Amino acid sequence: MSSRIPIAEAFDQLLVGTVPVRITAYDGSAAGAEDAAFAIHVRNERGLSYLMTAPGDLGLGRAYVSGDLEVSGVHPGDPYPALREIKSGLKFRRPGAAEALALVRGLGLEHLKPPVPPAQEHLPRWRRAVEGLRHSQQRDAEVIHHHYDVSNRFYELVLGPSMTYTCAVFPSEDATLEEAQANKYDLIARKLDLQQGQRLLDVGCGWGGMVRHAAREYGVRALGVTLSREQATWAQQRIKEEGLDHLAEVRHLDYRNVEERDFDAVSSIGLTEHIGVKNYPAYFGFLRDRLKPHGRLLNHCITRPHNKKEDTGAFIDRYVFPDGELTGSGRIITEAQDVGLEVQHEENFRVHYAKTLAGWCHNLVENWDECVAEVGEATARVWGLYMAGSRLSFERNEIQLHHVLATRTDADGVSGYPLRHTFGI
């Protein structure tokens, strides 16, 4: 029988260079500098099994969400400082087959039996396929429910009064999150050149922030649709409270089932990530057909810094955005053009999303006890981990956020667009 290998020593053998964090485990082993700012502690055998049966971000996520992996030196609502240190300095090498087998035997073959995943984990992609084709209306409704119908109160605590779960646009470095969210909605309204009496369709409208802003500030008749029943209920109540129900409406409805046409403007703020790249032609074609000639479309979505189709990572796919797909702004523009839309302007807001996520993590930390009471500590840990990790990805230019503004130009080539942009900064 092979002798046991100390857990921290096994990790140390797989690391390249100086270990930037302290690594400890339930067997009493340790590696890395004792005075490191952050420490990773494997608390129990289940945590080790998670790490061994799903190497990479999924295993780490499972162990962290379940509380079997602890990170000291940071708050669980915002582990960003530790993630930044780990991402910058923690480098693993790939062992050869013989070495890998020796390590597994030394850590214990019994740890190769996968533990039951945390309850917050969604089904893998192959299991979801049993429930419906990817991006079918049935399957989209299920994955949206998984993420957005957590708890409206939880979202209020994390997102703040704006109840806006999309990238803010900061008018200055010291602007508050609420100021930046209001600025984002107004920038979109100006890009769409909204005028009193016009009609706006907002697809994937969330809690109705854009719908209410357009109705309140511009006198626009606005219709929003969302696949989340919880969002629609909250939005309709807020619309009534603000006295906007003569202008604004939010429906619990798949955008593909909107029958109305001849809108002056369409906004899509954070929906394209859920569409699926292969469905872009149908998506942009549908939105084009909802516009009247000279109407404008503003598409706001997370993108890659390249134009290849690429699925999200395993942790994000299982815990945050099931079936999410991202590609580059070039692909977005190409698909919009290929259905006959004329692209007038594009803009990258990735640094704004990093600041937005920092604001949401701050809110989660400030309201941690109430958030945990509302959804449980495991779910709150999912949010802290994913938002802090996403912030780091935006900062490192691994993902971006783009606005693409387009018009439905008529058959004579008239777009209704001015000689120069009029929406300012």
Side-chain angles (χ1 to χ4, degrees):
M1 184 174 182
S2 61
S3 60
R4 288 286 181 171
I5 298 175
I7 295 169
E9 181 181 312
F11 277 96
D12 194 38
Q13 288 181 31
L14 295 173
L15 290 168
V16 178
T18 304
V19 181
V21 296
R22 181 75 167 167
I23 299 174
T24 60
Y26 62 89
D27 64 352
S29 61
E34 293 186 14
D35 60 349
F38 309 106
I40 298 173
H41 180 63
V42 182
R43 294 185 60 233
N44 50 42
E45 293 197 9
R46 185 176 66 176
L48 179 59
S49 294
Y50 278 140
L51 297 175
M52 291 180 62
T53 55
D57 66 332
L58 182 59
L60 286 165
R62 285 172 172 170
Y64 181 79
V65 168
S66 64
D68 299 332
L69 184 75
E70 291 181 340
V71 181
S72 64
V74 290
H75 192 285
D78 187 12
Y80 167 81
L83 290 179
R84 182 179 59 187
E85 187 76 14
I86 291 168
K87 188 90 179 236
S88 299
L90 207 62
K91 311 243 183 255
F92 285 91
R93 64 179 179 84
R94 184 183 295 273
E99 183 184 5
L101 180 59
L103 284 171
V104 169
R105 284 176 171 167
L107 289 171
L109 292 173
E110 68 274 15
H111 294 119
L112 291 181
K113 181 181 179 181
V116 175
Q120 290 70 24
E121 183 169 320
H122 201 64
L123 295 172
R125 286 192 178 99
W126 68 270
R127 288 280 303 280
R128 284 176 234 153
V130 177
E131 301 183 352
L133 293 174
R134 192 174 189 182
H135 300 299
S136 65
Q137 293 195 25
Q138 173 189 344
R139 186 159 153 182
D140 281 353
E142 170 59 29
V143 298
I144 291 299
H145 168 74
H146 173 84
H147 187 68
Y148 292 97
D149 289 344
V150 175
S151 158
N152 281 334
R153 179 55 185 159
F154 175 77
Y155 279 109
E156 288 173 346
L157 293 166
V158 174
L159 303 181
S162 72
M163 279 294 272
T164 299
Y165 188 30
T166 49
C167 175
V169 177
F170 289 78
S172 63
E173 286 288 345
D174 59 351
T176 67
L177 178 60
E178 289 303 304
E179 290 169 342
Q181 292 291 14
N183 183 58
K184 182 265 298 293
Y185 284 134
D186 206 64
L187 176 61
I188 292 174
R190 298 197 310 273
K191 285 184 173 182
L192 292 172
D193 194 30
L194 294 183
Q195 306 292 327
Q196 185 169 354
Q198 288 185 337
R199 297 172 64 230
L200 167 70
L201 171 64
D202 186 36
V203 294
C205 69
W207 290 271
M210 183 66 204
V211 167
R212 288 181 285 115
H213 185 90
R216 182 178 61 247
E217 304 298 331
Y218 289 84
V220 167
R221 288 175 292 154
L223 168 64
V225 294
T226 173
L227 276 176
S228 167
R229 188 180 298 277
E230 291 292 321
Q231 288 180 336
T233 300
W234 190 99
Q236 275 299 110
Q237 181 61 36
R238 180 57 61 91
I239 285 170
K240 290 180 181 179
E241 291 173 358
E242 295 184 14
L244 297 172
D245 44 338
H246 63 299
L247 289 173
E249 178 188 1
V250 168
R251 299 177 191 166
H252 176 227
L253 185 70
D254 191 297
Y255 80 93
R256 290 164 284 196
N257 294 330
V258 174
E259 296 180 351
E260 293 94 329
R261 294 175 180 258
D262 293 325
F263 288 93
D264 297 280
V266 173
S267 53
S268 176
I269 309 172
L271 173 63
T272 316
E273 300 90 331
H274 302 287
I275 294 298
V277 175
K278 72 175 183 179
N279 297 316
Y280 283 1
Y283 164 73
F284 282 111
F286 185 90
L287 299 186
R288 175 206 60 211
D289 291 345
R290 306 275 90 60
L291 285 169
K292 62 173 56 173
H294 308 170
R296 298 188 185 188
L297 164 68
L298 189 286
N299 198 84
H300 163 129
C301 72
I302 301 171
T303 54
R304 298 282 185 195
H306 55 73
N307 292 291
K308 306 166 190 173
K309 178 183 176 295
E310 183 177 331
D311 288 331
T312 54
F315 174 77
I316 292 292
D317 181 68
R318 301 279 190 96
Y319 285 85
V320 187
F321 295 117
D323 290 346
E325 294 180 70
L326 304 178
T327 188
S329 59
R331 182 70 182 271
I332 300 288
I333 290 171
T334 296
E335 299 290 359
Q337 291 173 328
D338 283 352
V339 301
L341 291 164
E342 182 179 5
V343 173
Q344 303 286 356
H345 185 267
E346 71 88 24
E347 191 169 2
N348 183 2
F349 290 98
R350 77 170 174 89
V351 294
H352 293 261
Y353 218 155
K355 287 176 66 65
T356 302
L357 286 155
W360 291 339
C361 280
H362 172 79
N363 289 344
L364 179 56
V365 170
E366 289 295 302
N367 299 294
W368 180 255
D369 289 344
E370 189 173 351
C371 285
V372 169
E374 185 68 25
V375 300
E377 183 171 351
T379 296
R381 278 175 166 261
V382 168
W383 281 76
L385 180 60
Y386 118 73
M387 291 193 300
S390 296
R391 174 187 173 186
L392 188 60
S393 293
F394 278 107
E395 289 179 346
R396 293 167 63 95
N397 195 29
E398 295 169 353
I399 46 178
Q400 302 175 344
L401 187 289
H402 273 85
H403 278 190
V404 173
L405 177 64
T407 52
R408 182 174 183 177
T409 300
D410 66 26
D412 295 323
V414 179
S415 67
Y417 205 79
L419 291 174
R420 293 290 298 158
H421 312 303
T422 59
F423 46 79
I425 59 174

